[in-house]
Amino acid sequence: MAKAVRVGSKTLGRLQSRLPYLILVTDEHRLANPLAAASEMPAGTAVLFRHYRQVGRADLAAALAIICRQRNLKLWIAGDVKLARSVGAHGVHFPEHMIRLGRPPVPSGMILTASVHSLAALRRAEAIGVDAVLISPIFPSPSHPDRPAIGAKNFRRWVRQSGVPAYGLGGIGPSNGGQLAGSGGAGIAAITSLSGKHL
């Protein structure tokens, strides 16, 4: 899977070395053990830790941070700048509904990413100065059963219109990842496809 999902890269300037091409997104329901999955990720890729409702979330994030340091992985924490800072994360990520509140107080040097599900949300994310966006769902996904898939063609169009690097997320796997090749996206993000079985 890791070799099949390189979708191309925009000119990222100083961000290029800080943005991975592949992001493992954790989920308390579909990826119960993010530690095992992170342990299988290739060096230089990233883990986006969500597990929003996980009991002992801070402890799990700290354990994940250790693995990321050992394996040379980037770690982004979703929705919690304080937690990101406490575990020494490389970045913080916000879901679409949180970027409506404006730019969070992200420490200098920390990457800020956001999920977007529409072009309007993409513009809001750009306006608050995010470093990259995760566009979803590209294909039908259990994570967003109520949202129509954007599709590979529209993903390409959104990437061209985006003023920041853009990742594809949602329903991406070995069978369809090739459809994003040459899209100009910064890379892809996935949950179950990066659970260790397809790397």
Side-chain angles (χ1 to χ4, degrees), residues 79-147:
D80 193 331
V81 174
K82 182 178 179 181
L83 179 58
R85 178 181 285 170
S86 71
V87 300
H90 301 89
V92 62
H93 174 85
F94 279 79
E96 182 178 286
H97 72 273
M98 293 184 74
I99 65 174
R100 296 191 180 107
L101 304 176
R103 184 179 176 86
V106 179
S108 176
M110 190 176 283
I111 292 290
L112 172 62
T113 63
S115 292
V116 297
H117 310 295
S118 68
L119 280 174
L122 174 55
R123 295 293 172 251
R124 285 195 297 271
E126 291 172 343
I128 67 169
V130 301
D131 296 299
V133 293
L134 276 61
I135 298 173
S136 73
I138 304 303
F139 303 112
S141 170
S143 293
H144 297 287
D146 57 332
R147 295 184 184 275

Side-chain angles (χ1 to χ4, degrees), residues 15-60:
L15 278 176
Q16 190 163 12
S17 63
R18 300 172 62 195
L19 290 177
Y21 72 94
L22 193 62
I23 305 169
L24 168 69
V25 180
T26 80
D27 182 279
E28 58 260 48
H29 301 297
R30 297 171 57 205
L31 185 59
N33 186 354
L35 303 182
S39 296
E40 299 294 326
M41 290 293 289
T45 60
V47 179
L48 196 172
F49 179 66
R50 296 191 307 182
H51 275 63
Y52 292 111
R53 292 169 290 278
Q54 178 75 35
V55 175
R57 185 180 191 235
D59 291 336
L60 184 57

